[in-house]
Amino acid sequence: MRESRKTLQELSLMDDFLMTESMLHKETAEPIAKMIIERTTGIKVGDLIIEYQKTVNGIDTNRHGVRLDMSLIEVDMRENHTDKVRVYDIEPNNRKDVSLPRRSRFYQALEDVKLLGTGVDYERLPELWSIWILPYDPFGKNQMVYTVKNTVEDFDDIDYNDGIRKWFLYTDGEQGGSPELKSLLLYLKSSRAENAVDQELSSLHAKIEKLKNTSEIGVRYMHVRENLEFYLRSEIKEGVEKGIEERLKVEIKKELAKREEEVKKELAKREEEAKKELAKREEEAKKELAKREEEAKKELAKREEEAKKELAKREE
């Protein structure tokens, strides 16, 4: 079901609108972020600074930019320090993307550029952990979670720590992961009360339901639906017009091809008829010539006979 066709109550956290709204409110943003990170990575998360859906521009205007769905910075608050310990990028993604590994690489590269200021030592570059939540299996192994880390291929015992980790979560995966992660993925996919099977999820669900029943959110979703449906209708209209144009082009090509074939057949027919007529006339001409030759021979024989008789008569 398209997000534009769902009611607000039918939306799940995998739907862009509800995830965005949830991450704009601290009471829902923090538990969602912590549950996704902790149940995916198995580590406890410290203090987080949440940056909501944001655009990271390319290095110049001729380069790609990206929109990060949820960027979180874990900071060290001890002794009043605010050093960045780790940056998390959480990306719910409903659309299948065959170039997902390269897309995730591009996201990481742009985020790194923003994280490392000019003149800052590389050691200060925080770890960057990306978590992609997908309704399709990105690698076809039916895994709930795929963990990706750069390694030294020649030596398994070398720890190549560039600070980059990636997790690709498959909401319907049946292998790997933990029961807690499986419960979370089910809830993200279908955010209903019966899928809030543990205390954390139950607490989150109550907050999500409260958010859905906020009049401000309802009005905003109505506007989003109206805008999206207008866009879809425009796209459909444009698509229909293009489709009609393309069909006309195809029909015209077919008609031209048909007429060309008919002209070829007509030319071939006329050529065949002309050959037959020519052959007929050649045959008639041969017969006429043969007839005249025969008549000439008879006339010559007749005259020879008359000449012989005249000669014989004179000799007498």
Side-chain angles (χ1 to χ4, degrees), residues 36-84:
I36 291 174
I37 294 169
E38 292 178 354
R39 296 191 184 198
T40 299
T41 66
I43 68 167
K44 287 293 180 181
V45 180
D47 295 297
L48 290 175
I49 298 174
I50 300 175
E51 295 182 352
Y52 311 105
Q53 285 190 338
K54 67 172 186 176
T55 298
V56 177
N57 296 318
I59 294 173
D60 62 53
T61 55
N62 293 319
R63 299 291 186 267
H64 284 290
V66 299
R67 191 194 70 177
L68 303 175
D69 280 346
M70 194 192 313
S71 184
L72 309 107
I73 302 173
E74 184 178 356
V75 294
D76 183 0
M77 301 296 291
R78 293 173 299 176
E79 298 180 1
N80 295 322
H81 292 298
T82 56
D83 288 341
K84 296 176 181 178

Side-chain angles (χ1 to χ4, degrees), residues 103-117:
R103 180 181 170 194
S104 67
R105 166 188 163 188
F106 181 68
Y107 276 40
Q108 167 218 312
L110 285 185
E111 185 72 8
D112 276 344
V113 170
K114 298 297 182 181
L115 287 171
L116 189 66

Side-chain angles (χ1 to χ4, degrees), residues 13 16-30 32 50-54 69-70 208 211 216-217 220:
L13 285 170
D16 187 68
F17 178 84
L18 186 57
M19 177 62 82
T20 301
E21 291 297 331
S22 299
M23 297 311 297
L24 288 173
H25 295 79
K26 186 176 181 179
E27 62 271 20
T28 48
E30 287 190 355
I32 291 172
I50 300 175
E51 295 182 352
Y52 311 105
Q53 285 190 338
K54 67 172 186 176
D69 280 346
M70 194 192 313
I208 293 295
L211 186 66
E216 179 186 352
I217 302 301
R220 191 146 54 233

Side-chain angles (χ1 to χ4, degrees), residues 127-128 144 150 152 157 174 176 181 223 233 255 299-300:
E127 293 182 332
L128 177 57
M144 190 186 309
N150 291 328
V152 179
D157 59 336
E174 297 177 355
L181 178 59
H223 290 160
R233 283 196 299 270
E255 184 64 25
E299 182 65 25
L300 182 60

Side-chain angles (χ1 to χ4, degrees), residues 112-122 124-125:
D112 276 344
V113 170
K114 298 297 182 181
L115 287 171
L116 189 66
T118 304
V120 178
D121 192 274
Y122 292 115
R124 300 291 302 278
L125 187 65

Side-chain angles (χ1 to χ4, degrees), residues 171-205:
T171 55
D172 292 328
E174 297 177 355
Q175 301 175 25
S178 64
E180 292 77 16
L181 178 59
K182 188 176 184 66
S183 299
L184 172 61
L185 291 177
L186 177 60
Y187 183 76
L188 293 176
K189 176 184 174 184
S190 180
S191 306
R192 301 197 302 265
E194 59 266 32
N195 294 329
V197 296
D198 57 49
Q199 187 174 350
E200 279 187 313
L201 287 174
S202 181
S203 174
L204 173 61
H205 182 70

